[in-house]
Amino acid sequence: MSRTEIKTFAKQLFKECEWEKWLVILILGITSSEMQFFGYGGLFVLSIIITGVLWLINVGGAVYMTNLVNKKEVEPKMLISKFSFEIFATKCLEFLIVLLYSLLFVIPGIIKKYQFAMVNYLLADEKYDSKRSKEILDLSRMIMNGHKMDLFLLQLSFIGWHILSIFTLGILEIWILPWQKISETKFILEIKDKFENEQAELFN
């Protein structure tokens, strides 16, 4: 699908969502940036816990969004369906790598973040449950090779809407964020499926 087709698909799917689905997607849209809540002093431990929980919820969110985009049954409990130490360890390793690259220069950190855009969706897929943390990150890099700019341009295409939202005191974001989240999920699943099909053909 082209970028326009992906956004059109996402808009239509969002229109078909009941309020419960809309609320879940909105929450995932807000937390999808996976902002780190590291604080100071006595709040440091609490902030680490909050960040870890958000990591795990976003992996569960990838399960939810994958089912939604594929038009399968979805339930809010999917958000906590992938809690495990291995997933937490993978997200920690991802965070540390992005942080280290960001300390060098901002651009390398951003590139790394896009390389790891597939991580949550790989962790959400039962086919990859046996993969170790480094294998998941390496696989994400491999799948995203040649697609990082495409994802960036997809996200950039929403910038006008986000600017417009400022004039509505942010109210418009309750519509924009779910639309963008569905669009990003559709894009990621398309290149993931393409990669898996190519690999299957290679070994057949």
mmCIF file of all heavy atoms in Angstrom, residues 25-63:
data_model
loop_
_atom_site.group_PDB
_atom_site.id
_atom_site.type_symbol
_atom_site.label_atom_id
_atom_site.label_comp_id
_atom_site.label_asym_id
_atom_site.label_seq_id
_atom_site.Cartn_x
_atom_site.Cartn_y
_atom_site.Cartn_z
ATOM 1 N N ILE A 25 -6.873 2.616 21.730
ATOM 2 C CA ILE A 25 -5.950 3.111 20.694
ATOM 3 C C ILE A 25 -5.426 4.488 21.064
ATOM 4 O O ILE A 25 -4.251 4.804 20.838
ATOM 5 C CB ILE A 25 -6.642 3.162 19.318
ATOM 6 C CG1 ILE A 25 -7.184 1.793 18.934
ATOM 7 C CG2 ILE A 25 -5.651 3.617 18.244
ATOM 8 C CD1 ILE A 25 -8.123 1.831 17.737
ATOM 9 N N LEU A 26 -6.288 5.325 21.639
ATOM 10 C CA LEU A 26 -5.861 6.658 22.061
ATOM 11 C C LEU A 26 -4.772 6.567 23.122
ATOM 12 O O LEU A 26 -3.750 7.269 23.050
ATOM 13 C CB LEU A 26 -7.047 7.448 22.607
ATOM 14 C CG LEU A 26 -6.741 8.859 23.144
ATOM 15 C CD1 LEU A 26 -6.181 9.743 22.034
ATOM 16 C CD2 LEU A 26 -7.993 9.485 23.748
ATOM 17 N N ILE A 27 -4.967 5.686 24.098
ATOM 18 C CA ILE A 27 -3.961 5.485 25.157
ATOM 19 C C ILE A 27 -2.651 5.009 24.554
ATOM 20 O O ILE A 27 -1.570 5.498 24.905
ATOM 21 C CB ILE A 27 -4.467 4.480 26.206
ATOM 22 C CG1 ILE A 27 -5.640 5.086 26.991
ATOM 23 C CG2 ILE A 27 -3.344 4.073 27.156
ATOM 24 C CD1 ILE A 27 -6.347 4.105 27.892
ATOM 25 N N LEU A 28 -2.732 4.075 23.612
ATOM 26 C CA LEU A 28 -1.520 3.563 22.961
ATOM 27 C C LEU A 28 -0.864 4.643 22.108
ATOM 28 O O LEU A 28 0.361 4.704 22.012
ATOM 29 C CB LEU A 28 -1.860 2.336 22.100
ATOM 30 C CG LEU A 28 -2.275 1.082 22.867
ATOM 31 C CD1 LEU A 28 -2.747 0.002 21.905
ATOM 32 C CD2 LEU A 28 -1.128 0.570 23.735
ATOM 33 N N GLY A 29 -1.685 5.499 21.499
ATOM 34 C CA GLY A 29 -1.135 6.605 20.717
ATOM 35 C C GLY A 29 -0.373 7.574 21.592
ATOM 36 O O GLY A 29 0.668 8.105 21.204
ATOM 37 N N ILE A 30 -0.885 7.811 22.809
ATOM 38 C CA ILE A 30 -0.234 8.723 23.749
ATOM 39 C C ILE A 30 1.070 8.126 24.275
ATOM 40 O O ILE A 30 2.079 8.829 24.408
ATOM 41 C CB ILE A 30 -1.176 9.043 24.928
ATOM 42 C CG1 ILE A 30 -2.375 9.854 24.434
ATOM 43 C CG2 ILE A 30 -0.436 9.805 26.031
ATOM 44 C CD1 ILE A 30 -3.467 10.025 25.463
ATOM 45 N N THR A 31 1.063 6.818 24.540
ATOM 46 C CA THR A 31 2.241 6.179 25.146
ATOM 47 C C THR A 31 3.194 5.565 24.123
ATOM 48 O O THR A 31 4.249 5.065 24.501
ATOM 49 C CB THR A 31 1.808 5.069 26.122
ATOM 50 O OG1 THR A 31 1.100 4.040 25.403
ATOM 51 C CG2 THR A 31 0.913 5.619 27.214
ATOM 52 N N SER A 32 2.846 5.609 22.836
ATOM 53 C CA SER A 32 3.666 4.933 21.837
ATOM 54 C C SER A 32 5.049 5.533 21.682
ATOM 55 O O SER A 32 5.976 4.892 21.195
ATOM 56 C CB SER A 32 2.965 4.914 20.474
ATOM 57 O OG SER A 32 2.762 6.231 20.020
ATOM 58 N N SER A 33 5.190 6.806 22.078
ATOM 59 C CA SER A 33 6.514 7.416 22.038
ATOM 60 C C SER A 33 7.402 6.830 23.125
ATOM 61 O O SER A 33 8.611 7.021 23.129
ATOM 62 C CB SER A 33 6.412 8.931 22.240
ATOM 63 O OG SER A 33 5.844 9.224 23.499
ATOM 64 N N GLU A 34 6.763 6.088 24.054
ATOM 65 C CA GLU A 34 7.483 5.429 25.143
ATOM 66 C C GLU A 34 8.393 6.405 25.879
ATOM 67 O O GLU A 34 9.573 6.165 26.117
ATOM 68 C CB GLU A 34 8.280 4.237 24.622
ATOM 69 C CG GLU A 34 7.386 3.156 24.045
ATOM 70 C CD GLU A 34 8.168 1.963 23.528
ATOM 71 O OE1 GLU A 34 9.404 2.049 23.426
ATOM 72 O OE2 GLU A 34 7.534 0.946 23.228
ATOM 73 N N MET A 35 7.829 7.532 26.243
ATOM 74 C CA MET A 35 8.587 8.527 26.995
ATOM 75 C C MET A 35 9.092 7.903 28.288
ATOM 76 O O MET A 35 8.405 7.122 28.930
ATOM 77 C CB MET A 35 7.698 9.731 27.328
ATOM 78 C CG MET A 35 7.254 10.514 26.113
ATOM 79 S SD MET A 35 6.397 12.034 26.586
ATOM 80 C CE MET A 35 5.108 11.421 27.627
ATOM 81 N N GLN A 36 10.284 8.234 28.644
ATOM 82 C CA GLN A 36 10.869 7.683 29.868
ATOM 83 C C GLN A 36 10.526 8.591 31.040
ATOM 84 O O GLN A 36 10.682 9.804 30.968
ATOM 85 C CB GLN A 36 12.393 7.564 29.710
ATOM 86 C CG GLN A 36 12.838 6.984 28.368
ATOM 87 C CD GLN A 36 12.111 5.712 27.990
ATOM 88 O OE1 GLN A 36 11.857 4.892 28.869
ATOM 89 N NE2 GLN A 36 11.804 5.538 26.731
ATOM 90 N N PHE A 37 10.075 8.003 32.120
ATOM 91 C CA PHE A 37 9.640 8.772 33.268
ATOM 92 C C PHE A 37 10.668 8.731 34.401
ATOM 93 O O PHE A 37 10.311 8.649 35.564
ATOM 94 C CB PHE A 37 8.283 8.234 33.772
ATOM 95 C CG PHE A 37 7.156 8.592 32.858
ATOM 96 C CD1 PHE A 37 6.887 7.832 31.729
ATOM 97 C CD2 PHE A 37 6.373 9.706 33.096
ATOM 98 C CE1 PHE A 37 5.842 8.158 30.885
ATOM 99 C CE2 PHE A 37 5.321 10.048 32.258
ATOM 100 C CZ PHE A 37 5.064 9.263 31.140
ATOM 101 N N PHE A 38 11.930 8.740 34.027
ATOM 102 C CA PHE A 38 12.966 8.729 35.050
ATOM 103 C C PHE A 38 12.966 10.045 35.802
ATOM 104 O O PHE A 38 13.077 11.115 35.217
ATOM 105 C CB PHE A 38 14.350 8.488 34.435
ATOM 106 C CG PHE A 38 14.503 7.098 33.891
ATOM 107 C CD1 PHE A 38 14.683 6.890 32.536
ATOM 108 C CD2 PHE A 38 14.447 6.009 34.744
ATOM 109 C CE1 PHE A 38 14.814 5.607 32.028
ATOM 110 C CE2 PHE A 38 14.589 4.723 34.246
ATOM 111 C CZ PHE A 38 14.759 4.517 32.886
ATOM 112 N N GLY A 39 12.849 9.962 37.126
ATOM 113 C CA GLY A 39 12.802 11.162 37.957
ATOM 114 C C GLY A 39 14.080 11.339 38.740
ATOM 115 O O GLY A 39 15.139 10.856 38.363
ATOM 116 N N TYR A 40 13.978 12.005 39.861
ATOM 117 C CA TYR A 40 15.147 12.310 40.669
ATOM 118 C C TYR A 40 14.872 11.940 42.117
ATOM 119 O O TYR A 40 13.730 11.862 42.564
ATOM 120 C CB TYR A 40 15.486 13.798 40.567
ATOM 121 C CG TYR A 40 15.768 14.255 39.163
ATOM 122 C CD1 TYR A 40 14.753 14.809 38.380
ATOM 123 C CD2 TYR A 40 17.038 14.122 38.612
ATOM 124 C CE1 TYR A 40 15.001 15.222 37.078
ATOM 125 C CE2 TYR A 40 17.287 14.545 37.313
ATOM 126 C CZ TYR A 40 16.267 15.091 36.557
ATOM 127 O OH TYR A 40 16.521 15.494 35.279
ATOM 128 N N GLY A 41 15.943 11.698 42.837
ATOM 129 C CA GLY A 41 15.834 11.439 44.267
ATOM 130 C C GLY A 41 14.959 10.247 44.571
ATOM 131 O O GLY A 41 15.097 9.183 43.986
ATOM 132 N N GLY A 42 14.018 10.430 45.504
ATOM 133 C CA GLY A 42 13.176 9.335 45.956
ATOM 134 C C GLY A 42 12.227 8.819 44.898
ATOM 135 O O GLY A 42 11.664 7.738 45.045
ATOM 136 N N LEU A 43 12.016 9.588 43.809
ATOM 137 C CA LEU A 43 11.104 9.158 42.758
ATOM 138 C C LEU A 43 11.788 8.293 41.710
ATOM 139 O O LEU A 43 11.124 7.783 40.806
ATOM 140 C CB LEU A 43 10.485 10.384 42.067
ATOM 141 C CG LEU A 43 9.583 11.275 42.940
ATOM 142 C CD1 LEU A 43 9.098 12.456 42.114
ATOM 143 C CD2 LEU A 43 8.406 10.480 43.477
ATOM 144 N N PHE A 44 13.092 8.109 41.820
ATOM 145 C CA PHE A 44 13.841 7.409 40.776
ATOM 146 C C PHE A 44 13.359 5.975 40.587
ATOM 147 O O PHE A 44 13.090 5.531 39.469
ATOM 148 C CB PHE A 44 15.338 7.412 41.103
ATOM 149 C CG PHE A 44 16.182 6.772 40.038
ATOM 150 C CD1 PHE A 44 16.392 7.411 38.826
ATOM 151 C CD2 PHE A 44 16.758 5.527 40.245
ATOM 152 C CE1 PHE A 44 17.163 6.824 37.830
ATOM 153 C CE2 PHE A 44 17.528 4.935 39.262
ATOM 154 C CZ PHE A 44 17.735 5.579 38.059
ATOM 155 N N VAL A 45 13.213 5.236 41.685
ATOM 156 C CA VAL A 45 12.780 3.837 41.602
ATOM 157 C C VAL A 45 11.367 3.762 41.027
ATOM 158 O O VAL A 45 11.078 2.929 40.164
ATOM 159 C CB VAL A 45 12.819 3.165 42.989
ATOM 160 C CG1 VAL A 45 12.228 1.757 42.911
ATOM 161 C CG2 VAL A 45 14.253 3.098 43.495
ATOM 162 N N LEU A 46 10.477 4.658 41.501
ATOM 163 C CA LEU A 46 9.107 4.672 41.000
ATOM 164 C C LEU A 46 9.070 4.964 39.507
ATOM 165 O O LEU A 46 8.307 4.341 38.759
ATOM 166 C CB LEU A 46 8.287 5.724 41.750
ATOM 167 C CG LEU A 46 6.828 5.892 41.301
ATOM 168 C CD1 LEU A 46 6.056 4.592 41.483
ATOM 169 C CD2 LEU A 46 6.171 7.029 42.075
ATOM 170 N N SER A 47 9.913 5.882 39.057
ATOM 171 C CA SER A 47 9.925 6.249 37.638
ATOM 172 C C SER A 47 10.416 5.093 36.775
ATOM 173 O O SER A 47 9.950 4.904 35.654
ATOM 174 C CB SER A 47 10.776 7.495 37.414
ATOM 175 O OG SER A 47 12.104 7.281 37.813
ATOM 176 N N ILE A 48 11.368 4.319 37.293
ATOM 177 C CA ILE A 48 11.844 3.136 36.564
ATOM 178 C C ILE A 48 10.715 2.120 36.428
ATOM 179 O O ILE A 48 10.516 1.517 35.362
ATOM 180 C CB ILE A 48 13.054 2.498 37.285
ATOM 181 C CG1 ILE A 48 14.274 3.424 37.198
ATOM 182 C CG2 ILE A 48 13.391 1.139 36.666
ATOM 183 C CD1 ILE A 48 15.474 2.917 37.960
ATOM 184 N N ILE A 49 9.963 1.928 37.493
ATOM 185 C CA ILE A 49 8.849 0.975 37.477
ATOM 186 C C ILE A 49 7.790 1.410 36.462
ATOM 187 O O ILE A 49 7.298 0.598 35.672
ATOM 188 C CB ILE A 49 8.217 0.845 38.884
ATOM 189 C CG1 ILE A 49 9.225 0.203 39.845
ATOM 190 C CG2 ILE A 49 6.922 0.031 38.821
ATOM 191 C CD1 ILE A 49 8.758 0.196 41.296
ATOM 192 N N ILE A 50 7.464 2.711 36.480
ATOM 193 C CA ILE A 50 6.465 3.228 35.542
ATOM 194 C C ILE A 50 6.922 3.032 34.100
ATOM 195 O O ILE A 50 6.156 2.606 33.229
ATOM 196 C CB ILE A 50 6.189 4.724 35.809
ATOM 197 C CG1 ILE A 50 5.498 4.893 37.166
ATOM 198 C CG2 ILE A 50 5.331 5.323 34.691
ATOM 199 C CD1 ILE A 50 5.322 6.334 37.593
ATOM 200 N N THR A 51 8.201 3.325 33.846
ATOM 201 C CA THR A 51 8.750 3.159 32.499
ATOM 202 C C THR A 51 8.682 1.703 32.068
ATOM 203 O O THR A 51 8.285 1.396 30.935
ATOM 204 C CB THR A 51 10.208 3.652 32.443
ATOM 205 O OG1 THR A 51 10.248 5.042 32.759
ATOM 206 C CG2 THR A 51 10.800 3.440 31.056
ATOM 207 N N GLY A 52 9.054 0.779 32.962
ATOM 208 C CA GLY A 52 9.010 -0.649 32.653
ATOM 209 C C GLY A 52 7.606 -1.120 32.341
ATOM 210 O O GLY A 52 7.394 -1.897 31.394
ATOM 211 N N VAL A 53 6.643 -0.651 33.111
ATOM 212 C CA VAL A 53 5.244 -1.024 32.873
ATOM 213 C C VAL A 53 4.777 -0.500 31.509
ATOM 214 O O VAL A 53 4.094 -1.207 30.756
ATOM 215 C CB VAL A 53 4.329 -0.491 34.000
ATOM 216 C CG1 VAL A 53 2.856 -0.662 33.622
ATOM 217 C CG2 VAL A 53 4.621 -1.213 35.306
ATOM 218 N N LEU A 54 5.182 0.727 31.173
ATOM 219 C CA LEU A 54 4.816 1.291 29.869
ATOM 220 C C LEU A 54 5.426 0.480 28.731
ATOM 221 O O LEU A 54 4.781 0.260 27.693
ATOM 222 C CB LEU A 54 5.267 2.750 29.775
ATOM 223 C CG LEU A 54 4.431 3.773 30.535
ATOM 224 C CD1 LEU A 54 5.034 5.160 30.396
ATOM 225 C CD2 LEU A 54 2.992 3.780 30.042
ATOM 226 N N TRP A 55 6.660 0.039 28.904
ATOM 227 C CA TRP A 55 7.283 -0.816 27.889
ATOM 228 C C TRP A 55 6.437 -2.046 27.638
ATOM 229 O O TRP A 55 6.142 -2.405 26.496
ATOM 230 C CB TRP A 55 8.681 -1.257 28.348
ATOM 231 C CG TRP A 55 9.736 -0.217 28.238
ATOM 232 C CD1 TRP A 55 9.698 0.921 27.483
ATOM 233 C CD2 TRP A 55 11.000 -0.206 28.909
ATOM 234 N NE1 TRP A 55 10.873 1.624 27.642
ATOM 235 C CE2 TRP A 55 11.688 0.955 28.503
ATOM 236 C CE3 TRP A 55 11.619 -1.071 29.800
ATOM 237 C CZ2 TRP A 55 12.961 1.276 28.967
ATOM 238 C CZ3 TRP A 55 12.897 -0.759 30.270
ATOM 239 C CH2 TRP A 55 13.550 0.409 29.858
ATOM 240 N N LEU A 56 6.052 -2.721 28.728
ATOM 241 C CA LEU A 56 5.313 -3.968 28.615
ATOM 242 C C LEU A 56 3.914 -3.739 28.050
ATOM 243 O O LEU A 56 3.413 -4.550 27.260
ATOM 244 C CB LEU A 56 5.240 -4.657 29.983
ATOM 245 C CG LEU A 56 6.609 -5.092 30.554
ATOM 246 C CD1 LEU A 56 6.466 -5.596 31.982
ATOM 247 C CD2 LEU A 56 7.240 -6.169 29.679
ATOM 248 N N ILE A 57 3.282 -2.636 28.448
ATOM 249 C CA ILE A 57 1.953 -2.317 27.918
ATOM 250 C C ILE A 57 2.024 -2.039 26.418
ATOM 251 O O ILE A 57 1.125 -2.423 25.660
ATOM 252 C CB ILE A 57 1.346 -1.115 28.670
ATOM 253 C CG1 ILE A 57 0.891 -1.545 30.069
ATOM 254 C CG2 ILE A 57 0.165 -0.514 27.890
ATOM 255 C CD1 ILE A 57 0.356 -0.420 30.936
ATOM 256 N N ASN A 58 3.105 -1.404 25.972
ATOM 257 C CA ASN A 58 3.242 -1.131 24.537
ATOM 258 C C ASN A 58 3.475 -2.399 23.732
ATOM 259 O O ASN A 58 3.067 -2.489 22.575
ATOM 260 C CB ASN A 58 4.366 -0.120 24.295
ATOM 261 C CG ASN A 58 3.870 1.310 24.387
ATOM 262 O OD1 ASN A 58 3.217 1.806 23.488
ATOM 263 N ND2 ASN A 58 4.146 1.965 25.503
ATOM 264 N N VAL A 59 4.126 -3.396 24.324
ATOM 265 C CA VAL A 59 4.257 -4.695 23.654
ATOM 266 C C VAL A 59 2.890 -5.367 23.597
ATOM 267 O O VAL A 59 2.493 -5.903 22.555
ATOM 268 C CB VAL A 59 5.284 -5.597 24.375
ATOM 269 C CG1 VAL A 59 5.297 -6.992 23.742
ATOM 270 C CG2 VAL A 59 6.677 -4.984 24.295
ATOM 271 N N GLY A 60 2.156 -5.348 24.719
ATOM 272 C CA GLY A 60 0.792 -5.862 24.701
ATOM 273 C C GLY A 60 -0.071 -5.077 23.731
ATOM 274 O O GLY A 60 -0.946 -5.638 23.056
ATOM 275 N N GLY A 61 0.194 -3.772 23.640
ATOM 276 C CA GLY A 61 -0.521 -2.926 22.687
ATOM 277 C C GLY A 61 -0.269 -3.341 21.248
ATOM 278 O O GLY A 61 -1.149 -3.217 20.392
ATOM 279 N N ALA A 62 0.937 -3.844 20.985
ATOM 280 C CA ALA A 62 1.256 -4.330 19.641
ATOM 281 C C ALA A 62 0.421 -5.568 19.313
ATOM 282 O O ALA A 62 0.029 -5.765 18.156
ATOM 283 C CB ALA A 62 2.746 -4.649 19.532
ATOM 284 N N VAL A 63 0.150 -6.398 20.320
ATOM 285 C CA VAL A 63 -0.743 -7.548 20.133
ATOM 286 C C VAL A 63 -2.137 -7.039 19.768
ATOM 287 O O VAL A 63 -2.770 -7.514 18.814
ATOM 288 C CB VAL A 63 -0.826 -8.406 21.414
ATOM 289 C CG1 VAL A 63 -1.823 -9.553 21.225
ATOM 290 C CG2 VAL A 63 0.537 -8.957 21.795
#
